[in-house]
Amino acid sequence: MSNLLKKIPKPISTMQDYTNNFHYHQMTEGDQKKYLQHLYDNDYSVRDISKHVVISETKVRSKIDAHRGRGLSPTPNRS
């Protein structure tokens, strides 16, 4: 696990951001999108979210846009 910690970039602001970044990168891509969307829907700016999880603003925007407007994916009909 220590090798994983070395690969995570050090955040600019606080230990909390470092912890948030670590947990964010442990999530599946779908959960990452939901998490970012949740923050955005609760009035956090793209810039603040970017700093919070230590990823680029462009990446935040693309993940939010990818999730916005989507509902649960339909499950295949298994008859």
Side-chain angles (χ1 to χ4, degrees):
M1 183 116 134
S2 63
N3 287 337
L4 178 62
L5 292 174
K6 290 177 184 175
K7 292 179 183 179
I8 296 174
K10 294 256 187 208
I12 297 169
S13 55
T14 66
M15 185 182 293
Q16 182 63 51
D17 289 338
Y18 181 77
T19 303
N20 296 338
N21 180 330
F22 176 78
H23 289 290
Y24 173 81
H25 287 285
Q26 299 302 307
M27 295 176 186
T28 64
E29 187 173 343
D31 286 343
Q32 288 177 349
K33 290 177 182 179
K34 289 176 188 176
Y35 179 64
L36 297 177
Q37 188 68 49
H38 172 76
L39 292 173
Y40 187 75
D41 290 345
N42 283 281
D43 298 324
Y44 288 94
S45 69
V46 169
R47 176 173 282 172
D48 289 342
I49 295 168
S50 171
K51 290 177 183 178
H52 177 70
V53 292
V54 194
I55 60 174
S56 71
E57 290 182 35
T58 303
K59 195 168 195 176
V60 171
R61 280 190 195 92
S62 70
K63 287 185 179 277
I64 288 173
D65 290 339
H67 182 69
R68 184 176 291 147
R70 289 179 153 178
L72 295 173
S73 56
T75 55
N77 221 355
R78 297 188 182 193
S79 304

